Amino acid sequence: MTGNTDSSSRPSSLACLPCRQRHVKCDAVLPVCTRCRTTGSECQYVRSRRGLRSHGKKSLSKPLDENVFSVPADTIPDWLDAAFPSDLSIETLLQPHDGPIVQDFSLDETFALPESELVTPKVAYDPMIQLYYENFHPSHPFMVPRRALGTSLGFLIPPQLLSVMRYIGAHYYPDPALKQAFRQAAFDAPSNQSIEAGFKVQALLLLAITDHCYCHEQSAHRLIQTAVNLALETGMNRRRFASEHSYGHSVLEESWRRTYWELYVVDGLLAAMREQSSFRLYHQPANVQLPCDEKMYKSDETLENLQNNWSLGQDFSAFAYRISAMQKLGAVLGLNRSLEDGVGSHIETIDAHLVSSLMVLPPLHGESYDSSYHDEMIFQAQMILYLALIYLHHPRSGMRFASFHANPPTTCTRLQLPATLTTQSYCDSELRPSQTLDLHSHKLLRAADLLSGLATLPSPIHRRTPFFTCALAMCIIVHTAALLLVGAEKQEAIKARIQLSIGGLNVLGRTWPLSKSVRQQMVDMYQEVVGK
């Protein structure tokens, strides 16, 4: 890669004191820099603490071990050198602060800083940050690991993004009022001009999930689309983005890849809940490497390779299986809105892909898959595939039931029961109990059974992704409709499924208002259909 190398286009490794104090770039021309000559300032230089620069990128093919979290000698950004003057004590650095140490900085170059001069960021031990990583991060693991926050990498994370993480972490604190103390700072974060674009995408993504959990669907849609726009504008969908914005940290490089694919998954889930025909990133070209597993940076596959090799038993990370599941849900959404003739063969093909994908998923639990991270990603892959089966067979099933509505905007998954599914209309219809269900209805009910069964897994439900709320709501709708069509011998089993899903919503409702609201809607619908 070639280009102009003059002082106007490349930051200097040396900066005078006046430029450092104003946090502006200095061309380091001796004896007086250009900026000081222009402003008439007294230009003075001190010996820099920076060392040699790196001229290459670290390989991502090596295993993830303790060395990944050590302090690289060439990966501290230029703003950090100006942020920590030589007379700043360790005690001062460890004092808690509300905002960034430097209000205006640029993360555009790297330099070496002796490891003895680094101070471990205290943010890794922040109580709300700990709650974030313990409860929320396993279901949406795109931020750098908490252990990495305790190294020099922690200095790269903007305080604005940390404010969003604290806000989410506060939802898992016993006192529900605490989260209000963090809300304003969290939602102000994306508007801060000093936050780098990639970190802003992460903040917008987290806030979109949070607004969804508060039934603010219009706001969640706006936030996710803003994040998508910014990600595409900055080239986050391109392979080189991760390495060019990692500052030599392989962990941060992996975080950028995960951020794009997390955006892909969340964009798809929100589109499904809004009954959109597709989601933007489904049709967006991307050559970003798929996320790696937690122990090894070895993934070097694109989404196309994953799709082509799926039936060959290839080993992929748990995160990658989740992405592939979302890709299939995107195909179902597009098919349901298609006006083309002869979609019957496509339905059979997609159905076969969904079922085969479920068959090749790694087990949720076992000797080889005992980490919570793997458990959560495979859990979500199953959840998404079961949802895809429900979306595929519902429009073609004899069980015509409630549909999703995002109106009014303040109520997510507003579920309304049509008149054709009341008890009286059922009695007047041609459908009778014990009547043989059609094939699509059987597959629909089977998918709902398996999806609701995920609530019985040993992992705590309150730590599951908030999107599990809408999955459980779908199960209740399907099972409530089935009560009107099956014989008495099957009704008790179906009622038990409904109680299971409502119980899961009850647990999630202790953390997220959406789950509490949807639970009440489901109870009202159930009582309306079958009585108390």
Side-chain angles (χ1 to χ4, degrees), residues 148-200:
L149 289 180
T151 71
S152 62
L153 181 55
F155 290 116
L156 289 171
I157 310 302
Q160 298 85 2
L161 181 55
L162 294 172
S163 295
V164 180
M165 297 168 66
R166 288 189 184 97
Y167 173 59
I168 295 176
H171 285 75
Y172 299 93
Y173 189 74
D175 184 358
L178 182 62
K179 56 181 174 285
Q180 293 302 322
F182 297 93
R183 177 177 173 82
Q184 190 61 48
F187 279 88
D188 287 345
S191 62
N192 192 295
Q193 297 301 315
S194 67
I195 184 172
E196 189 181 4
F199 293 119
K200 184 176 292 188

Side-chain angles (χ1 to χ4, degrees), residues 28-241:
V29 174
L30 296 173
V32 181
C33 74
T34 302
R35 190 181 300 275
C36 288
R37 183 184 303 113
T38 302
T39 60
S41 302
E42 183 180 359
C43 191
Q44 295 181 350
Y45 291 90
V46 295
R47 183 179 180 181
S48 174
R49 292 176 295 171
R50 290 172 282 176
L52 298 176
R53 299 177 182 272
S54 171
H55 296 284
K57 299 297 180 182
K58 290 188 176 183
S59 172
L60 297 180
S61 60
K62 65 179 181 180
L64 172 62
D65 54 25
E66 296 295 330
N67 293 327
V68 172
F69 293 94
S70 63
V71 180
D74 57 353
T75 59
I76 310 302
D78 191 37
W79 63 267
L80 189 59
D81 191 38
F84 299 112
S86 58
D87 59 348
L88 192 60
S89 66
I90 292 180
E91 290 74 13
T92 303
L93 287 174
L94 293 181
Q95 291 298 319
H97 54 276
D98 298 327
I101 299 175
V102 179
Q103 294 296 330
D104 186 16
F105 52 82
S106 174
L107 301 178
D108 57 2
E109 67 166 323
T110 60
F111 61 90
L113 185 65
E115 193 166 340
S116 60
E117 297 187 30
L118 291 175
V119 179
T120 300
K122 194 176 182 180
V123 66
Y125 304 97
D126 185 298
M128 296 303 108
I129 296 295
Q130 292 187 53
L131 288 175
Y132 171 90
Y133 278 99
E134 291 172 3
N135 298 280
F136 185 85
H137 180 78
S139 292
H140 300 279
F142 62 95
M143 294 298 300
V144 297
R146 176 174 169 245
R147 190 156 54 102
L149 289 180
T151 71
S152 62
L153 181 55
F155 290 116
L156 289 171
I157 310 302
Q160 298 85 2
L161 181 55
L162 294 172
S163 295
V164 180
M165 297 168 66
R166 288 189 184 97
Y167 173 59
I168 295 176
H171 285 75
Y172 299 93
Y173 189 74
D175 184 358
L178 182 62
K179 56 181 174 285
Q180 293 302 322
F182 297 93
R183 177 177 173 82
Q184 190 61 48
F187 279 88
D188 287 345
S191 62
N192 192 295
Q193 297 301 315
S194 67
I195 184 172
E196 189 181 4
F199 293 119
K200 184 176 292 188
V201 170
Q202 292 181 329
L204 290 166
L205 178 54
L206 289 173
L207 291 175
I209 298 174
T210 304
D211 258 0
H212 171 74
C213 297
Y214 273 81
C215 308
H216 301 158
E217 285 305 293
Q218 294 299 327
S219 177
H221 178 69
R222 175 181 56 81
L223 287 168
I224 199 67
Q225 294 309 310
T226 303
V228 169
N229 289 338
L230 184 57
L232 297 180
E233 289 172 4
T234 56
M236 191 174 280
N237 59 320
R238 299 304 177 190
R239 184 189 187 104
R240 65 176 182 269
F241 178 91

Side-chain angles (χ1 to χ4, degrees), residues 328-367:
K328 292 175 174 60
L329 176 56
V332 171
L333 295 177
L335 181 66
N336 286 347
R337 296 291 183 173
S338 175
L339 298 178
E340 297 180 3
D341 297 329
V343 298
S345 59
H346 295 298
I347 295 172
E348 295 178 0
T349 300
I350 292 180
D351 182 61
H353 277 306
L354 292 173
V355 175
S356 63
S357 297
L358 285 164
M359 291 179 177
V360 300
L361 281 179
L364 275 166
H365 298 282
E367 294 181 359

Side-chain angles (χ1 to χ4, degrees), residues 385-397:
L385 290 171
Y386 291 142
L387 279 173
L389 285 168
I390 290 176
Y391 277 106
L392 178 66
H393 294 293
H394 159 232
R396 300 159 183 92
S397 166

